Amino acid sequence: MIASVFTGCGNSAETKDSGKAQTEQAATKEDSADKADEEQAALEDGTYTAEFKTDSSMFHVNEAMDGKGTLTVEDGKMTIHISLVSKNIVNLFEGTAEDAQKDGAELLQPTTDEVYGFDVPVPALDKEFDLALIGKKGTWYDHKVSVTNPVEVEE
C-alpha cells in the first residue's frame, strides 16, 4: 500500500513536470513564430533573390534560375518575379482553381522572359500559399507554393 502511495506521488510529480515541459515547449514554439514574424516584418524595402518552391515537378521555376526568383519588397508588400520553363502556363491566380474561375477573379498576367514569367504576390515568407494555374488546354490546377531564404541583392 505504501508503495502505491509513493508510486502515485511519483506519477503526480511526473505529471506536473511533464505539464511544465509541455508548457515550456509551447512557449518556445510561440517565441520561434514571433521571431519569424519579426524577421519577416524586418525585411526592408529592396530587391532580394529568394527560393520559390512548388508541390509539382511540372510547375517550377526555370532551371537557369536555380529555383529562385526576384523578390521585391515595396512599402512592406512582397512580390516575387519567377521565370517558368515554357509558355505552356497561360495565367496564374493567387488562390485556388475554384476561386480563379469566379466572375471578377484577377488573374496574374504573364511577362515574356523568352518563356513566361509572372509577378506573384507573396503574403508571407516561409509559409505555403495557394497558387492556381491554367495551361493552354484551359484547365485550372491547384498548387501550394512558398517563398523562402531571401538574400538581399547587392547594387
PDB file of all heavy atoms in Angstrom, residues 87-91 97-98 100-101 107 132-142:
ATOM      1  N   LYS A  87       6.053  28.449 -72.223  1.00  0.00           N
ATOM      2  CA  LYS A  87       4.876  29.312 -72.338  1.00  0.00           C
ATOM      3  C   LYS A  87       3.593  28.485 -72.233  1.00  0.00           C
ATOM      4  O   LYS A  87       2.535  28.920 -72.657  1.00  0.00           O
ATOM      5  CB  LYS A  87       4.913  30.083 -73.661  1.00  0.00           C
ATOM      6  CG  LYS A  87       6.030  31.109 -73.709  1.00  0.00           C
ATOM      7  CD  LYS A  87       5.980  31.922 -74.992  1.00  0.00           C
ATOM      8  CE  LYS A  87       7.066  32.976 -74.993  1.00  0.00           C
ATOM      9  NZ  LYS A  87       7.029  33.778 -76.215  1.00  0.00           N
ATOM     10  N   ASN A  88       3.694  27.296 -71.662  1.00  0.00           N
ATOM     11  CA  ASN A  88       2.524  26.416 -71.537  1.00  0.00           C
ATOM     12  C   ASN A  88       1.580  26.832 -70.426  1.00  0.00           C
ATOM     13  O   ASN A  88       0.406  26.496 -70.456  1.00  0.00           O
ATOM     14  CB  ASN A  88       2.956  24.962 -71.339  1.00  0.00           C
ATOM     15  CG  ASN A  88       3.572  24.381 -72.595  1.00  0.00           C
ATOM     16  OD1 ASN A  88       3.277  24.820 -73.699  1.00  0.00           O
ATOM     17  ND2 ASN A  88       4.440  23.413 -72.423  1.00  0.00           N
ATOM     18  N   ILE A  89       2.068  27.520 -69.405  1.00  0.00           N
ATOM     19  CA  ILE A  89       1.207  28.030 -68.345  1.00  0.00           C
ATOM     20  C   ILE A  89       0.800  29.436 -68.769  1.00  0.00           C
ATOM     21  O   ILE A  89       1.633  30.320 -68.927  1.00  0.00           O
ATOM     22  CB  ILE A  89       1.923  28.025 -66.986  1.00  0.00           C
ATOM     23  CG1 ILE A  89       2.207  26.576 -66.594  1.00  0.00           C
ATOM     24  CG2 ILE A  89       1.090  28.746 -65.929  1.00  0.00           C
ATOM     25  CD1 ILE A  89       3.045  26.411 -65.354  1.00  0.00           C
ATOM     26  N   VAL A  90      -0.485  29.621 -68.966  1.00  0.00           N
ATOM     27  CA  VAL A  90      -1.009  30.848 -69.553  1.00  0.00           C
ATOM     28  C   VAL A  90      -1.260  31.930 -68.507  1.00  0.00           C
ATOM     29  O   VAL A  90      -0.986  33.101 -68.745  1.00  0.00           O
ATOM     30  CB  VAL A  90      -2.316  30.534 -70.331  1.00  0.00           C
ATOM     31  CG1 VAL A  90      -2.901  31.782 -70.944  1.00  0.00           C
ATOM     32  CG2 VAL A  90      -2.040  29.494 -71.400  1.00  0.00           C
ATOM     33  N   ASN A  91      -1.821  31.557 -67.364  1.00  0.00           N
ATOM     34  CA  ASN A  91      -2.105  32.507 -66.286  1.00  0.00           C
ATOM     35  C   ASN A  91      -1.891  31.832 -64.943  1.00  0.00           C
ATOM     36  O   ASN A  91      -1.971  30.612 -64.835  1.00  0.00           O
ATOM     37  CB  ASN A  91      -3.558  33.009 -66.316  1.00  0.00           C
ATOM     38  CG  ASN A  91      -3.841  33.926 -67.467  1.00  0.00           C
ATOM     39  OD1 ASN A  91      -4.523  33.531 -68.394  1.00  0.00           O
ATOM     40  ND2 ASN A  91      -3.322  35.134 -67.420  1.00  0.00           N
ATOM     41  N   ALA A  97      -8.015  27.068 -57.690  1.00  0.00           N
ATOM     42  CA  ALA A  97      -8.563  26.956 -59.038  1.00  0.00           C
ATOM     43  C   ALA A  97     -10.051  27.293 -59.039  1.00  0.00           C
ATOM     44  O   ALA A  97     -10.556  27.937 -59.969  1.00  0.00           O
ATOM     45  CB  ALA A  97      -8.330  25.551 -59.587  1.00  0.00           C
ATOM     46  N   GLU A  98     -10.772  26.885 -58.013  1.00  0.00           N
ATOM     47  CA  GLU A  98     -12.205  27.174 -57.914  1.00  0.00           C
ATOM     48  C   GLU A  98     -12.444  28.686 -57.900  1.00  0.00           C
ATOM     49  O   GLU A  98     -13.290  29.204 -58.623  1.00  0.00           O
ATOM     50  CB  GLU A  98     -12.783  26.532 -56.652  1.00  0.00           C
ATOM     51  CG  GLU A  98     -14.271  26.763 -56.489  1.00  0.00           C
ATOM     52  CD  GLU A  98     -14.827  26.107 -55.232  1.00  0.00           C
ATOM     53  OE1 GLU A  98     -14.165  25.216 -54.641  1.00  0.00           O
ATOM     54  OE2 GLU A  98     -15.933  26.491 -54.833  1.00  0.00           O
ATOM     55  N   ALA A 100     -10.416  30.981 -58.974  1.00  0.00           N
ATOM     56  CA  ALA A 100      -9.909  31.583 -60.213  1.00  0.00           C
ATOM     57  C   ALA A 100     -10.988  31.634 -61.294  1.00  0.00           C
ATOM     58  O   ALA A 100     -10.953  32.502 -62.167  1.00  0.00           O
ATOM     59  CB  ALA A 100      -8.712  30.798 -60.729  1.00  0.00           C
ATOM     60  N   GLN A 101     -11.950  30.728 -61.222  1.00  0.00           N
ATOM     61  CA  GLN A 101     -12.982  30.644 -62.247  1.00  0.00           C
ATOM     62  C   GLN A 101     -14.207  31.496 -61.957  1.00  0.00           C
ATOM     63  O   GLN A 101     -15.133  31.565 -62.757  1.00  0.00           O
ATOM     64  CB  GLN A 101     -13.379  29.178 -62.422  1.00  0.00           C
ATOM     65  CG  GLN A 101     -12.205  28.329 -62.902  1.00  0.00           C
ATOM     66  CD  GLN A 101     -12.531  26.867 -62.944  1.00  0.00           C
ATOM     67  OE1 GLN A 101     -13.316  26.427 -63.788  1.00  0.00           O
ATOM     68  NE2 GLN A 101     -11.941  26.106 -62.035  1.00  0.00           N
ATOM     69  N   LEU A 107      -6.619  37.567 -62.592  1.00  0.00           N
ATOM     70  CA  LEU A 107      -5.568  36.628 -62.962  1.00  0.00           C
ATOM     71  C   LEU A 107      -4.241  37.361 -63.092  1.00  0.00           C
ATOM     72  O   LEU A 107      -4.196  38.524 -63.506  1.00  0.00           O
ATOM     73  CB  LEU A 107      -5.912  35.953 -64.291  1.00  0.00           C
ATOM     74  CG  LEU A 107      -7.269  35.251 -64.364  1.00  0.00           C
ATOM     75  CD1 LEU A 107      -7.440  34.598 -65.726  1.00  0.00           C
ATOM     76  CD2 LEU A 107      -7.428  34.243 -63.253  1.00  0.00           C
ATOM     77  N   ALA A 132      -3.054  28.924 -58.151  1.00  0.00           N
ATOM     78  CA  ALA A 132      -3.657  28.094 -59.189  1.00  0.00           C
ATOM     79  C   ALA A 132      -3.076  28.492 -60.537  1.00  0.00           C
ATOM     80  O   ALA A 132      -2.671  29.644 -60.739  1.00  0.00           O
ATOM     81  CB  ALA A 132      -5.177  28.290 -59.197  1.00  0.00           C
ATOM     82  N   LEU A 133      -3.036  27.542 -61.459  1.00  0.00           N
ATOM     83  CA  LEU A 133      -2.533  27.846 -62.795  1.00  0.00           C
ATOM     84  C   LEU A 133      -3.466  27.268 -63.838  1.00  0.00           C
ATOM     85  O   LEU A 133      -4.178  26.309 -63.604  1.00  0.00           O
ATOM     86  CB  LEU A 133      -1.103  27.324 -62.986  1.00  0.00           C
ATOM     87  CG  LEU A 133      -0.862  25.813 -62.999  1.00  0.00           C
ATOM     88  CD1 LEU A 133      -1.140  25.217 -64.372  1.00  0.00           C
ATOM     89  CD2 LEU A 133       0.560  25.522 -62.596  1.00  0.00           C
ATOM     90  N   ILE A 134      -3.463  27.913 -65.001  1.00  0.00           N
ATOM     91  CA  ILE A 134      -4.214  27.407 -66.144  1.00  0.00           C
ATOM     92  C   ILE A 134      -3.237  27.275 -67.301  1.00  0.00           C
ATOM     93  O   ILE A 134      -2.406  28.150 -67.545  1.00  0.00           O
ATOM     94  CB  ILE A 134      -5.411  28.324 -66.512  1.00  0.00           C
ATOM     95  CG1 ILE A 134      -6.289  27.672 -67.581  1.00  0.00           C
ATOM     96  CG2 ILE A 134      -4.946  29.712 -66.911  1.00  0.00           C
ATOM     97  CD1 ILE A 134      -7.608  28.384 -67.822  1.00  0.00           C
ATOM     98  N   GLY A 135      -3.330  26.142 -67.974  1.00  0.00           N
ATOM     99  CA  GLY A 135      -2.460  25.888 -69.109  1.00  0.00           C
ATOM    100  C   GLY A 135      -3.186  26.124 -70.422  1.00  0.00           C
ATOM    101  O   GLY A 135      -4.332  26.584 -70.454  1.00  0.00           O
ATOM    102  N   LYS A 136      -2.508  25.821 -71.499  1.00  0.00           N
ATOM    103  CA  LYS A 136      -3.052  26.037 -72.842  1.00  0.00           C
ATOM    104  C   LYS A 136      -4.332  25.250 -73.093  1.00  0.00           C
ATOM    105  O   LYS A 136      -5.143  25.630 -73.929  1.00  0.00           O
ATOM    106  CB  LYS A 136      -2.013  25.673 -73.899  1.00  0.00           C
ATOM    107  CG  LYS A 136      -0.888  26.661 -73.997  1.00  0.00           C
ATOM    108  CD  LYS A 136       0.055  26.295 -75.121  1.00  0.00           C
ATOM    109  CE  LYS A 136       1.099  27.377 -75.305  1.00  0.00           C
ATOM    110  NZ  LYS A 136       1.987  27.073 -76.420  1.00  0.00           N
ATOM    111  N   LYS A 137      -4.536  24.156 -72.364  1.00  0.00           N
ATOM    112  CA  LYS A 137      -5.733  23.333 -72.566  1.00  0.00           C
ATOM    113  C   LYS A 137      -6.954  23.897 -71.851  1.00  0.00           C
ATOM    114  O   LYS A 137      -8.044  23.376 -71.976  1.00  0.00           O
ATOM    115  CB  LYS A 137      -5.474  21.903 -72.105  1.00  0.00           C
ATOM    116  CG  LYS A 137      -4.430  21.199 -72.953  1.00  0.00           C
ATOM    117  CD  LYS A 137      -4.215  19.779 -72.500  1.00  0.00           C
ATOM    118  CE  LYS A 137      -3.170  19.100 -73.359  1.00  0.00           C
ATOM    119  NZ  LYS A 137      -2.907  17.736 -72.924  1.00  0.00           N
ATOM    120  N   GLY A 138      -6.763  24.971 -71.052  1.00  0.00           N
ATOM    121  CA  GLY A 138      -7.892  25.615 -70.398  1.00  0.00           C
ATOM    122  C   GLY A 138      -8.337  24.991 -69.083  1.00  0.00           C
ATOM    123  O   GLY A 138      -9.423  25.287 -68.606  1.00  0.00           O
ATOM    124  N   THR A 139      -7.511  24.154 -68.482  1.00  0.00           N
ATOM    125  CA  THR A 139      -7.855  23.515 -67.218  1.00  0.00           C
ATOM    126  C   THR A 139      -7.085  24.171 -66.079  1.00  0.00           C
ATOM    127  O   THR A 139      -5.878  24.397 -66.187  1.00  0.00           O
ATOM    128  CB  THR A 139      -7.498  22.009 -67.256  1.00  0.00           C
ATOM    129  OG1 THR A 139      -8.191  21.413 -68.355  1.00  0.00           O
ATOM    130  CG2 THR A 139      -7.906  21.318 -65.971  1.00  0.00           C
ATOM    131  N   TRP A 140      -7.795  24.465 -64.983  1.00  0.00           N
ATOM    132  CA  TRP A 140      -7.170  25.057 -63.799  1.00  0.00           C
ATOM    133  C   TRP A 140      -6.631  23.957 -62.902  1.00  0.00           C
ATOM    134  O   TRP A 140      -7.262  22.911 -62.732  1.00  0.00           O
ATOM    135  CB  TRP A 140      -8.179  25.897 -63.017  1.00  0.00           C
ATOM    136  CG  TRP A 140      -8.423  27.235 -63.633  1.00  0.00           C
ATOM    137  CD1 TRP A 140      -9.463  27.601 -64.439  1.00  0.00           C
ATOM    138  CD2 TRP A 140      -7.594  28.392 -63.490  1.00  0.00           C
ATOM    139  NE1 TRP A 140      -9.327  28.911 -64.804  1.00  0.00           N
ATOM    140  CE2 TRP A 140      -8.194  29.427 -64.239  1.00  0.00           C
ATOM    141  CE3 TRP A 140      -6.405  28.666 -62.805  1.00  0.00           C
ATOM    142  CZ2 TRP A 140      -7.645  30.703 -64.316  1.00  0.00           C
ATOM    143  CZ3 TRP A 140      -5.858  29.938 -62.887  1.00  0.00           C
ATOM    144  CH2 TRP A 140      -6.479  30.933 -63.636  1.00  0.00           C
ATOM    145  N   TYR A 141      -5.470  24.210 -62.296  1.00  0.00           N
ATOM    146  CA  TYR A 141      -4.845  23.274 -61.362  1.00  0.00           C
ATOM    147  C   TYR A 141      -4.443  24.014 -60.095  1.00  0.00           C
ATOM    148  O   TYR A 141      -3.891  25.122 -60.156  1.00  0.00           O
ATOM    149  CB  TYR A 141      -3.588  22.641 -61.973  1.00  0.00           C
ATOM    150  CG  TYR A 141      -3.871  21.842 -63.225  1.00  0.00           C
ATOM    151  CD1 TYR A 141      -3.763  22.432 -64.480  1.00  0.00           C
ATOM    152  CD2 TYR A 141      -4.251  20.507 -63.140  1.00  0.00           C
ATOM    153  CE1 TYR A 141      -4.027  21.701 -65.635  1.00  0.00           C
ATOM    154  CE2 TYR A 141      -4.512  19.771 -64.282  1.00  0.00           C
ATOM    155  CZ  TYR A 141      -4.400  20.375 -65.529  1.00  0.00           C
ATOM    156  OH  TYR A 141      -4.661  19.652 -66.660  1.00  0.00           O
ATOM    157  N   ASP A 142      -4.702  23.386 -58.938  1.00  0.00           N
ATOM    158  CA  ASP A 142      -4.303  23.940 -57.644  1.00  0.00           C
ATOM    159  C   ASP A 142      -2.878  23.537 -57.310  1.00  0.00           C
ATOM    160  O   ASP A 142      -2.489  22.394 -57.533  1.00  0.00           O
ATOM    161  CB  ASP A 142      -5.211  23.423 -56.525  1.00  0.00           C
ATOM    162  CG  ASP A 142      -6.582  24.082 -56.533  1.00  0.00           C
ATOM    163  OD1 ASP A 142      -6.655  25.283 -56.817  1.00  0.00           O
ATOM    164  OD2 ASP A 142      -7.569  23.382 -56.246  1.00  0.00           O
TER     165      ASP A 142
END
